[in-house]
């Protein structure tokens, strides 16, 4: 009986050792703290990152970029600064461009020419100054536009085209 108890104990210990070894071996594939896959960082690095400071290494920041909700009245044009983004939230708007080029509607993946309608809730990107949106002259109602980046509001030209 004593031999049976020792044999059972030996089997239990062997099984436990194999399970522990297998479990620790499966963790060998995961990133080790401090390795290139899981680097350690300092508290000051994290604080700087959370505060919006630049961390170098080619990573950009959103520091200095403002998001604003702008109301554009009939007779006005909302002109984007280079790199700005607009989302027409309310109202009926048309594209405005001071040259032959239009504005990029990245939601639909198309170019909107000056005077053409701008769909609500579509992301518009402006690579250069001189382009924007204005209320549809036929609608005679204000627009509400979410603006990311720089902009200015000016008087609309006598026609919606250039």
């Amino acid at each position: 009986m004593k031999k049976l108890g020792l044999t059972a104990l030996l089997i239990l210990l062997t099984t436990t050792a194999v399970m522990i070894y297998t479990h620790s071996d499966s963790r060998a594939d995961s990133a080790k703290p401090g390795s290139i896959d899981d680097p350690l960082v300092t508290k000051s690095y994290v604080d700087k990152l959370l505060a919006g400071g630049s961390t170098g290494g080619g990573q950009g920041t959103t520091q200095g970029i403002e998001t604003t909700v702008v109301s554009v009245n009939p007779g006005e044009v909302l002109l984007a600064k280079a790199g700005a983004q607009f989302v027409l939230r309310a109202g009926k708007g048309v594209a405005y461009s001071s040259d032959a080029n239009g504005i990029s509607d990245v939601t639909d993946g198309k170019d909107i020419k000056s005077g053409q309608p701008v769909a609500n809730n579509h992301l518009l990107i402006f690579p250069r100054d001189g382009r924007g949106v204005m209320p549809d002259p036929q609608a005679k109602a204000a627009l509400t536009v979410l603006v990311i980046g720089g902009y200015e509001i000016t008087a609309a030209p006598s026609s919606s085209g250039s």
Side-chain angles (χ1 to χ4, degrees):
M1 191 67 159
K2 205 173 196 183
K3 282 187 176 186
L4 185 60
L6 285 175
T7 303
L9 180 60
L10 184 58
I11 291 172
L12 179 65
L13 289 175
T14 303
T15 304
T16 303
V18 168
M19 288 174 55
I20 290 172
Y21 177 76
T22 304
H23 180 68
S24 67
D25 189 41
S26 68
R27 288 187 296 171
D29 293 336
S30 65
K32 294 186 184 209
S35 71
I36 194 155
D37 294 325
D38 187 15
L40 297 174
V41 295
T42 63
K43 180 183 178 307
S44 62
Y45 173 85
V46 173
D47 289 344
K48 187 175 181 181
L49 188 64
L50 293 176
S54 177
T55 61
Q59 296 176 351
T61 74
T62 57
Q63 187 173 1
I65 296 177
E66 293 187 33
T67 302
T68 310
V69 176
V70 178
S71 182
V72 186
N73 296 313
E76 297 177 333
V77 177
L78 177 63
L79 292 175
K81 298 290 183 185
Q85 301 174 24
F86 290 179
V87 177
L88 179 59
R89 293 291 296 145
K92 188 173 179 185
V94 295
Y96 172 82
S97 180
S98 59
D99 57 29
N101 296 310
I103 58 178
S104 298
D105 179 341
V106 296
T107 303
D108 270 347
K110 67 179 186 177
D111 199 47
I112 305 172
K113 298 296 182 194
S114 191
Q116 291 182 330
V118 174
N120 289 31
N121 300 313
H122 283 216
L123 178 61
L124 309 174
I125 296 180
F126 301 86
R128 290 186 220 123
D129 294 351
R131 299 173 189 161
V133 296
M134 58 189 270
D136 185 332
Q138 308 304 320
K140 297 183 170 78
L143 300 178
T144 301
V145 183
L146 173 66
V147 178
I148 302 167
Y151 70 94
E152 66 178 301
I153 296 178
T154 64
S158 58
S159 68
S160 62
S162 52

